[in-house]
Amino acid sequence: MPSPRYFINHFMPFTGYPYKGAPSACNLCGSTESVVVAESDRRLKVLRSIACEQCGLIRTDPMPTVPELADYYATAYRADYQLAFAGGPPPHHLKRSAREAEFRASLLAPKLTAGARLLDFGSGSGEFLAAARARGCEVIGVEPGRDYAAYARTHHGVEVLDDADDATFAPASFDVISTHHVMEHLRDPADVIERLARWLKPDGVLYAAVPNMAATGKPPHERFHFAHVHGFVRDTFDLTARRAGLVPHPDYWREDTTVVYAKTDAPVPALSNPGLAQRLAAELKPMPPAAYLASGAWIWPMVRRNAKAVRDTFVSK
Ligand SMILES: [Zn+2]
């Protein structure tokens, strides 16, 4: 069970997270110029996010180091985020995941034909792998969350690797690659998208989805979370794909940062979005704290999240 210090470190508003981090250059364009877009996260904890002045990609600053992120996932992620769950994923997660998998499978239906080779990068509890296999695909997953990977192997009988480096798959191995809400967790999302693009056949498609940081309808700071070290909007997501030689496929539905990409031979344009960082800083500007507290908008998210954390911590067996 997590210690009292754990709760202070991870839930006490107006204090920072237990990490030091290090300054980082933009993973998409390499620039070190930036604009601050947020100073706190959805728990009202201190967490600075910046947007790259050149391309607009949002990242945590300072960026957690590799060991700090590993430590976070090993100790805090379970209670914080309810993904790596002792004894396997909870029923409400499986329900939501099955619904999402069916949606993704219908979107990609034209490519999910008998014998098509499919990789799900960040395959979680395996529902999408199972849905694609049911359509005749040869499927494989990559999932570093051990409990979830084990669940996928046991309950869906699918092959899941713990991790994958560049050499794990030969270039042009897959007809379809999908990655659902993974890139925002990575320190190097632009490099990983390039790797996925290399593994894709010339006529293959990449389904990629991340949270849209420009989404309206919730207070700006609600979009920030310690586990999300990068933040995308439509422009920066497309530019990340573009750097990897990918463009949105015109035949597929898209919504902001849920996109099906195809390969292109066209040269990569300049990796810049003039003015985007400033626009994001204005859009994501937090409400003044007094107005936010008076609005009551914090009550429901706080109840919901704390209920989740308590359930994760005490009712996991
Ligand atoms: Zn940049």
Side-chain angles (χ1 to χ4, degrees):
M1 187 182 298
S3 65
R5 173 165 292 279
Y6 168 84
F7 279 99
I8 291 169
N9 284 339
H10 291 273
F11 291 93
M12 183 76 83
F14 312 115
T15 63
Y17 286 90
Y19 90 106
K20 271 179 77 176
S24 64
C26 174
N27 185 242
L28 172 50
C29 76
S31 170
T32 52
E33 301 299 311
S34 63
V35 176
V36 174
V37 294
E39 296 281 7
S40 63
D41 74 349
R42 56 176 69 168
R43 289 191 176 139
L44 300 179
K45 283 185 72 71
V46 176
L47 182 68
R48 187 191 304 127
S49 298
I50 58 179
C52 171
E53 175 103 42
Q54 184 168 300
C55 74
L57 181 65
I58 295 170
R59 67 185 188 274
T60 301
D61 179 63
M63 179 64 72
T65 62
V66 173
E68 282 168 344
L69 262 194
D71 183 57
Y72 173 77
Y73 280 101
T75 60
Y77 197 60
R78 178 171 147 210
D80 259 24
Y81 212 0
Q82 222 186 5
L83 278 184
F85 199 86
H92 67 91
H93 161 85
L94 293 174
K95 238 180 177 169
R96 196 178 53 210
S97 176
R99 252 199 327 266
E100 186 284 318
E102 271 312 309
F103 169 79
R104 205 187 320 170
S106 0
L107 176 65
L108 294 169
K111 295 294 284 184
L112 302 186
T113 50
R117 294 202 65 208
L118 177 139
L119 167 68
D120 193 16
F121 188 82
S123 49
S125 42
E127 281 69 33
F128 179 64
L129 290 173
R133 189 189 48 194
R135 287 161 170 79
C137 300
E138 287 173 36
V139 304
I140 185 164
V142 173
E143 175 53 56
R146 265 174 289 173
D147 292 342
Y148 274 54
Y151 179 91
R153 293 182 196 113
T154 309
H155 290 258
H156 297 299
V158 287
E159 184 181 0
V160 178
L161 309 179
D162 295 332
D163 207 350
D165 62 26
D166 207 31
T168 305
F169 303 112
S173 288
F174 296 99
D175 300 285
V176 181
I177 299 179
S178 87
T179 183
H180 184 76
H181 289 237
V182 174
M183 294 301 135
E184 68 272 25
H185 296 270
L186 304 180
R187 286 163 39 91
D188 53 354
D191 303 330
V192 172
I193 292 272
E194 284 191 343
R195 185 181 299 164
L196 298 183
R198 271 198 294 281
W199 292 337
L200 202 58
K201 292 181 183 175
D203 63 344
V205 297
L206 171 71
Y207 162 99
V210 292
N212 176 19
M213 295 300 283
T216 52
K218 52 181 173 181
H221 75 272
E222 282 274 307
R223 297 161 215 191
F224 297 97
H225 187 293
F226 186 78
H228 295 180
V229 294
H230 278 98
F232 298 87
V233 296
R234 186 182 173 112
D235 287 348
T236 45
F237 205 40
D238 282 353
L239 195 60
T240 303
R242 195 64 193 74
R243 197 189 93 166
L246 300 165
V247 287
H249 196 306
D251 296 347
Y252 290 83
W253 169 94
R254 84 171 279 170
E255 184 180 56
D256 295 319
T257 50
T258 298
V259 193
V260 178
Y261 292 108
K263 287 198 166 185
T264 176
D265 292 328
V268 176
L271 299 172
S272 75
N273 266 315
L276 180 57
Q278 282 74 14
R279 284 207 301 283
L280 289 170
E283 265 178 48
L284 296 171
K285 197 172 155 61
M287 282 185 191
Y292 179 66
L293 286 173
S295 76
W298 51 278
I299 296 173
W300 172 240
M302 185 167 287
V303 167
R304 198 176 56 216
R305 293 209 171 84
N306 288 345
K308 266 191 191 173
V310 168
R311 195 170 56 218
D312 261 18
T313 307
F314 300 106
V315 201
S316 62
K317 294 273 154 104

